[in-house]
């Protein structure tokens, strides 16, 4: 399939072929960014105290630089695929496949982790549903396959669900952060840096942790062929969604650190619920658990939509098997969605015996590292192919930030990233041989 054909994936009536408008695209960004990370990060950041704000500041600035770069790329190349499509058009098929593979793995593995987090949230409300590992895994899989069903029905239905779920989690999260500010104990922010490490080291470590909560800023660029007026809608949705999600997440996490003593917080498996319980009682903890369940459910739905679109774009360009390029009568890449869901299911079943915190510690670094590589490559793509249209300084800073954040992942996470990338080599060689016939 030629490049011009690949970019025009939704022919026909505009409203039918492109069902996602500004609010649906913005909800996709916010819903994908605000998932489970905001509810677990305060515990991971507790050892660094108020010094974690340095990491938050760097991460949010970096996220906005990346959002601005993706906004430019979306106008220059309004095609389905997001980071994969931009890298392929700048650096060719080999680089394009590597980015598509890395991005695709990060999506479905993240879906599995978020589904497990959903089960944990439900367990805080109805303990019997997650009383055993088998029940907990079953609860996670029910959420996963409900989202699968909604996405298979069609993008319009998935988009509408995303708007509703995003509103249900963004507004309460902002309200929690604003109201709880009045109950913060300033003494919990002292000492400023309890870790004993230098501030630059703390900043580097906390950036990769906080970036987990900001991943997803690019998702509006992925289903570009399904978005109305993509040249205007995608940049606006990307920047607005990143800003909304970033502010809500930073506010909530910082407030939790100020409400719960460090020695308690770093051991907590539900830090935000712990904070709510201390301020308003056990009923508030249940309410936060319900908010976490809604949040994680929305994140699964959003990432599932992206999973199908990434594999669709790669298959349309001949880099993934052609089955991924097939769409049903509603324009939905059903096969790609089902494959992503099956792989996520396998991962949930294989790791259900782990604790929630252990699973998230592992997934956080692996998934964030896997996404930062496409971020860096996309910034480089703009510098190579689109900088003549402005934004060279922004793209350069976005590239530097991505590499800086990636350096904080540690050798173990980076090694896993290399292994996952190498796992795609046989697939690429098989597809090249198939195309050569």
């Amino acid at each position: 399939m030629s490049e011009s054909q690949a970019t025009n994936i939704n022919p026909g009536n505009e409203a039918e072929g492109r069902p996602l408008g500004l609010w649906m695209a913005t909800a996709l960004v916010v819903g994908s960014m605000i998932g489970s990370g905001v509810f677990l990060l305060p515990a991971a950041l507790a050892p660094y105290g108020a010094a974690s704000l340095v990491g938050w500041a760097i991460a949010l600035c970096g996220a906005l630089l990346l959002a601005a770069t993706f906004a430019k790329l979306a106008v220059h190349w309004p095609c389905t695929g997001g980071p994969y499509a931009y890298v392929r058009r700048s650096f060719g098929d080999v680089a394009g496949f590597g980015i598509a593979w890395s991005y695709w793995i990060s999506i479905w593995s993240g879906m599995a982790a978020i589904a497990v987090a959903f089960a944990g949230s439900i367990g805080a409300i109805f303990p019997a549903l997650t009383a055993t590992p088998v029940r907990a895994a079953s609860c996670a899989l029910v959420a996963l396959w409900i989202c699968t069903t909604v996405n298979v029905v069609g993008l319009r239905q998935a988009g509408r669900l995303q708007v509703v779920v995003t509103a249900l989690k963004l507004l309460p999260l902002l309200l929690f952060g604003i109201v709880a500010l009045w109950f913060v104990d300033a003494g919990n922010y002292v000492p400023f840096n309890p870790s004993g490490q230098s501030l630059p080291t703390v900043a580097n470590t906390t950036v990769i942790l906080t970036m987990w909560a900001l991943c997803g800023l690019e998702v509006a660029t992925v289903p570009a062929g399904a978005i109305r007026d993509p040249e205007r809608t995608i940049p606006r949705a990307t920047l607005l969604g990143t800003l909304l999600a970033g502010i809500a997440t930073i506010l909530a996490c910082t407030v939790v650190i100020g409400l719960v003593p460090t020695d308690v917080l770093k051991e907590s498996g539900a830090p935000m619920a712990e904070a709510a319980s201390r301020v308003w009682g056990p009923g508030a903890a249940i309410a936060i658990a319900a908010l976490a369940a809604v949040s994680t459910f929305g994140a699964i739905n959003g990432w599932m939509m992206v999973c199908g679109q990434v594999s669709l774009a790669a298959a349309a360009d001949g880099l993934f098997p052609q089955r991924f390029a097939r769409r049903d009568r509603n324009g939905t890449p059903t096969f790609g969605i089902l494959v992503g869901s099956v792989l996520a299911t396998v991962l949930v079943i294989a790791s259900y015996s782990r604790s929630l915190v252990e699973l998230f510690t592992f997934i956080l670094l692996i998934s964030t590292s896997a996404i930062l590589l496409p971020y860096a490559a996309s910034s480089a793509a703009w510098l190579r192919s689109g900088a003549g249209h402005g934004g060279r300084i922004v793209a350069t800073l976005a590239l530097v930030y991505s590499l800086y954040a990636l350096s904080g992942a540690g050798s173990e996470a980076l090694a896993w990233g290399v292994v996952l990338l190498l796992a795609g080599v046989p697939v690429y060689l098989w597809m090249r041989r198939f195309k050569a016939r």
Side-chain angles (χ1 to χ4, degrees):
M1 180 178 286
S2 68
E3 181 173 316
S4 61
Q5 289 174 308
T7 59
N8 185 23
I9 66 166
N10 286 284
N13 183 272
E14 178 78 1
E16 291 299 321
R18 298 177 184 266
L20 305 180
L22 175 62
W23 291 113
M24 288 185 182
T26 303
L28 181 60
V29 175
V30 176
S32 298
M33 291 178 70
I34 300 179
S36 52
V38 64
F39 298 98
L40 294 173
L41 268 179
L45 295 172
Y48 308 100
S52 62
L53 286 171
V54 177
W56 273 121
I58 296 173
L60 182 58
C61 289
L64 290 172
L65 288 170
L66 286 164
T69 301
F70 278 114
K72 285 279 189 181
L73 286 162
V75 172
H76 189 56
W77 286 314
C79 53
T80 294
Y84 148 72
Y86 307 144
V87 173
R88 176 180 173 271
R89 281 156 177 74
S90 287
F91 300 108
D93 284 353
V94 176
F97 175 84
I99 294 303
W101 184 260
S102 176
Y103 194 46
W104 184 62
I105 288 175
S106 73
I107 293 170
W108 59 256
S109 62
M111 282 161 44
I114 296 170
V116 172
F118 172 83
S121 301
I122 291 296
I125 306 172
F126 305 107
L129 291 179
T130 56
T132 67
V134 173
R135 290 184 185 181
S138 299
C139 186
L141 295 179
V142 167
L144 183 68
W145 283 96
I146 288 176
C147 289
T148 301
T149 302
V150 172
N151 275 268
V152 167
V153 168
L155 284 175
R156 186 183 302 279
Q157 287 70 25
R160 287 172 178 166
L161 174 63
Q162 196 66 14
V163 171
V164 173
V165 172
T166 297
L168 287 175
K169 65 181 176 180
L170 178 62
L171 296 178
L173 193 62
L174 284 170
L175 184 63
F176 168 83
I178 293 170
V179 174
L181 270 175
W182 300 101
F183 299 93
V184 164
D185 180 0
N188 289 327
Y189 294 123
V190 179
F192 177 74
N193 180 15
S195 70
Q197 303 176 26
S198 68
L199 194 58
T201 300
V202 169
N204 191 217
T205 302
T206 54
V207 162
I208 190 70
L209 291 172
T210 54
M211 193 61 202
W212 164 259
L214 300 177
C215 287
L217 59 93
E218 79 295 340
V219 296
T221 69
V222 177
I227 292 178
R228 292 192 294 273
D229 192 13
E231 290 86 350
R232 294 180 66 244
T233 300
I234 294 176
R236 291 161 64 190
T238 299
L239 289 167
L240 178 61
T242 300
L243 192 60
L244 284 173
I247 290 173
T249 301
I250 292 172
L251 179 62
C253 288
T254 303
V255 164
V256 170
I257 291 176
L259 289 172
V260 184
T262 300
D263 57 338
V264 175
L265 186 59
K266 64 184 180 181
E267 301 296 333
S268 175
M272 192 171 290
E274 174 73 28
S277 178
R278 286 171 174 265
V279 176
W280 298 295
I286 297 297
I288 289 296
L291 175 60
V294 171
S295 178
T296 49
F297 186 82
I300 298 168
N301 181 68
W303 280 112
M304 189 167 293
M305 190 188 305
V306 173
C307 186
Q309 294 291 320
V310 168
S311 56
L312 165 67
D317 292 326
L319 298 181
F320 272 29
Q322 282 301 299
R323 287 291 300 276
F324 287 96
R326 296 179 185 175
R327 292 176 290 139
D328 62 19
R329 62 182 180 178
N330 296 317
T332 304
T334 302
F335 183 77
I337 290 172
L338 291 175
V339 170
S341 297
V342 168
L343 290 171
T345 297
V346 171
L347 192 55
V348 169
I349 293 173
S351 58
Y352 77 91
S353 60
R354 290 189 177 203
S355 72
L356 177 63
V357 175
E358 288 175 336
L359 178 60
F360 254 86
T361 300
F362 178 74
I363 291 293
L364 183 152
L365 293 177
I366 299 299
S367 293
T368 306
S369 300
I371 283 184
L372 281 169
L373 182 59
Y375 286 176
S378 297
S379 302
W382 182 253
L383 290 174
R384 177 182 174 88
S385 304
H389 300 279
R392 179 177 288 274
I393 294 177
V394 171
T396 300
L397 291 174
L399 174 60
V400 171
Y401 165 74
S402 299
L403 296 175
Y404 168 76
L406 192 59
S407 70
S411 58
E412 183 180 5
L414 292 177
W416 271 100
V418 171
V419 170
L420 290 173
L421 278 175
L422 291 177
V425 172
V427 178
Y428 176 73
L429 293 177
W430 180 75
M431 287 304 301
R432 278 193 62 181
R433 184 177 179 182
F434 179 80
K435 288 171 66 175
R437 291 179 179 177

